[in-house]
């Protein structure tokens, strides 16, 4: 993050329209989720099952990955391993170049956004057409996504109408949702029909069979995974599930937690290549990009269980006010606050673990029970441990240790604090202390009590 979360959030908070858009959108999805979750008496058992499966995957990830590679090969596909974003982009670009095509259609995929695949392909002279409506809006606006599930959540329909009028050359377009969707549909249909290569991400990848699964709401994913001759799927290594029956759990948890629906409108599953049906070439790029480092951290590794449902975003009081762009990453909200610092390093994204009130709402809604507050606190500890304390902080700590080491000095310090603090008390609180401006800017302190408990007890 160039700017850090506090500065970016401060900027976002000044945008009243953005806050209104976010409030309406997050509260609508939140209410839908609560209603469909309440329908399931076994919701807690489902969450527990989801967590258990993901824990097993993470415990035996090396075995499951090899099993997946063999299964994809048996089904006529090919697996490519990518250590980092650069390697993954290079593999995809080479695969596209080998087809002789210069345009690809793409299914919405956070993983490809994480590795900045569109930019890498553009630098190689390959055009990428985003086919998800919200991703298309962001692409036309030249903006990044601001929500995992609803990338254009920060825009209302008047803003989208103006964008389509300008970028799609439709001056008479109204802001009716039906008309906006139709304009996007016509724009995309032509691209689907001429595309020879598609790129997708994956919600799940099944180790036992080599099957890849994408869930979506618009049918664009189905077009991308069936019409082109070549399909390239980029998958983070944590997306594996052991067997097809495990999908039963996640395909119940995911739609209810994300869109507040009982099931996804489109669930596409494909296994390798089938002669005469669908793509003739199928490639999977398995991406690490920092994930094995996350796996090595005992507390942080639970982050890899995330199924990207976005429920934690929709209940987060911080996200609701700042929106996604303030997080400076494709992963916004509570999941972004724990995933980005682990993938990029706390030295680069060290302000994100503080983008939370630790209220715990994210943990309560997470369908795979990731203890987000626990990971946030753990990461804050790492930020502090990795940033060497300033000279004045070290001196202050030494002084405190010296004072606390003797009862006599401690009592004296209390007396001094009582007298010395008085000039700074305003309205019963210490608002600001000289030399501690940055710390007291966001905190009010109680003045030192008039008498200690021991003195009070002795005077009874
Ligand atoms: S952390 Fe949990 S609630 Fe948040 S996106 Fe991931 S799975 Fe969903």
């Amino acid at each position: 993050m160039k700017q850090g979360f506090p500065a970016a959030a401060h900027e976002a908070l000044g945008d009243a329209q953005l806050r209104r858009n976010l409030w309406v959108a997050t509260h609508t999805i939140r209410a839908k989720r609560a209603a469909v979750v309440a329908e399931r008496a076994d919701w807690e058992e489902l969450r527990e099952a989801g967590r258990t499966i993901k824990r097993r995957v993470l415990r035996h990830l090396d075995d499951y990955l090899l099993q997946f590679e063999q299964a994809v090969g048996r089904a006529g596909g090919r697996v490519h391993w990518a250590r980092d974003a650069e390697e993954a982009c290079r593999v995809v670009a080479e695969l596209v170049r080998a087809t002789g095509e210069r345009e690809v259609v793409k299914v919405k995929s956070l993983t490809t956004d994480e590795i900045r695949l569109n930019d890498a392909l553009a630098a190689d002279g390959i055009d990428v057409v985003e086919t998800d409506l919200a991703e298309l809006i962001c692409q036309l606006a030249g903006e990044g996504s601001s929500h995992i599930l609803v990338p254009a959540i920060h825009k209302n329909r008047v803003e989208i109408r103006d964008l389509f009028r300008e970028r799609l050359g439709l001056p008479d377009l109204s802001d009716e949702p039906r008309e906006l969707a139709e304009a996007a549909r016509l724009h995309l249909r032509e691209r689907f029909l001429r595309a020879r290569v598609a790129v997708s991400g994956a919600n799940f990848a099944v180790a036992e069979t080599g099957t890849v699964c994408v869930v979506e709401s618009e049918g664009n994913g189905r077009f991308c995974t069936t019409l082109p001759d070549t399909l390239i799927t980029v998958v983070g290594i944590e997306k594996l599930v052991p067997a097809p029956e495990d999908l039963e759990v996640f395909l119940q948890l995911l739609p209810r937690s994300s869109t507040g629906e009982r099931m996804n409108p489109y669930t596409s599953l494909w296994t390798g290549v089938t002669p005469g049906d669908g793509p003739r070439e199928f490639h999977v790029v398995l991406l690490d990009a920092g994930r094995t480092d996350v796996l090595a951290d005992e507390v942080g590794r639970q982050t890899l269980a995330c199924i990207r449902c976005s429920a934690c975003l929709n209940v987060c009081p911080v996200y609701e006010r700042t929106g996604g762009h303030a997080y400076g990453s494709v992963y916004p909200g509570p999941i972004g606050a724990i995933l980005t610092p682990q993938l990029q390093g706390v030295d680069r994204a060290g302000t994100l673990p503080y983008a939370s009130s630790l209220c715990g709402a994210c943990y309560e809604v997470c369908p795979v029970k990731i203890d987000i507050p626990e990971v946030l606190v753990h990461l804050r500890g790492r930020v502090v441990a990795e940033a060497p304390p300033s000279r004045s902080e070290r001196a202050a700590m030494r002084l405190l240790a010296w004072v606390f080491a003797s009862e006599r000095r401690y009592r004296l310090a209390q007396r001094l604090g009582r007298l010395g603090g008085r000039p700074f008390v305003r309205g019963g609180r210490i608002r600001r202390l000289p030399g501690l401006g940055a710390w007291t800017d966001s905190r009010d302190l109680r003045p030192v009590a008039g008498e200690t408990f021991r003195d009070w007890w002795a005077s009874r």
Side-chain angles (χ1 to χ4, degrees), residues 47 76 88 94 224 276 284 304 322 344 397 412:
R47 287 179 81 206
E94 279 167 10
C224 288
V284 182
L304 296 177
T322 65
Q344 297 183 0
M397 290 300 155
L412 183 65

Side-chain angles (χ1 to χ4, degrees), residues 148 305-313 335 362 365-368 370 372:
I148 289 179
C306 175
I307 56 171
R308 313 279 191 264
C309 70
S310 76
C312 57
L313 277 67
I335 179 60
C362 47
V365 295
C366 179
V368 285
I370 298 172
I372 297 174

Side-chain angles (χ1 to χ4, degrees), residues 106-176:
K106 189 162 154 271
V107 194
K108 173 177 173 293
S109 147
L110 280 166
T111 312
T112 55
D113 291 346
E114 176 194 325
I115 61 173
R116 300 187 166 278
L117 181 65
N118 291 12
D119 294 343
L121 292 180
D124 234 20
I126 299 164
D127 282 339
V128 179
V129 180
E130 291 288 354
T131 61
D132 174 87
L133 174 57
E135 284 284 355
L136 176 70
I137 291 166
C138 290
Q139 190 179 38
L140 291 174
E143 293 170 356
S145 116
S146 65
H147 189 278
I148 289 179
L149 187 75
V150 198
I153 198 169
H154 56 288
K155 288 207 175 301
N156 63 23
R157 56 188 160 122
V158 174
E159 292 169 309
I160 295 167
R161 177 204 63 192
D162 294 344
L163 180 71
F164 280 9
R165 280 182 176 180
E166 188 198 325
R167 298 300 310 275
L168 302 184
L170 299 168
D172 301 325
L173 193 66
S174 82
D175 63 2
E176 277 305 306

Side-chain angles (χ1 to χ4, degrees), residues 75-77 196-199 221-233 269-283:
R196 303 265 71 87
V197 184
V199 175
R222 180 74 51 88
F223 268 125
C224 288
T225 55
T226 49
L227 288 182
D229 298 330
T230 302
L231 174 58
I232 305 164
T233 301
L269 295 140
W270 65 97
T271 308
V273 289
T274 307
D277 185 14
R280 290 198 287 271
E281 259 191 60
F282 173 52
H283 300 270

Side-chain angles (χ1 to χ4, degrees), residues 58-69:
L58 296 177
R59 258 198 323 271
H60 305 290
L61 189 57
D62 48 349
D63 293 335
Y64 286 128
L65 286 168
L66 292 175
Q67 194 185 4
F68 178 74
E69 182 184 31

Side-chain angles (χ1 to χ4, degrees), residues 173-217:
L173 193 66
S174 82
D175 63 2
E176 277 305 306
R178 188 185 294 270
E179 261 201 55
L180 295 173
E182 184 62 14
R185 189 176 291 127
L186 292 174
H187 172 76
L188 288 172
R189 188 63 54 103
E190 190 200 327
R191 270 119 187 125
F192 282 131
L193 294 176
R194 71 174 187 229
R196 303 265 71 87
V197 184
V199 175
S200 84
N203 293 89
F204 307 102
V206 183
E208 194 180 297
T209 56
T211 303
V212 175
C213 173
V214 162
V215 296
E216 35 113 17
S217 305

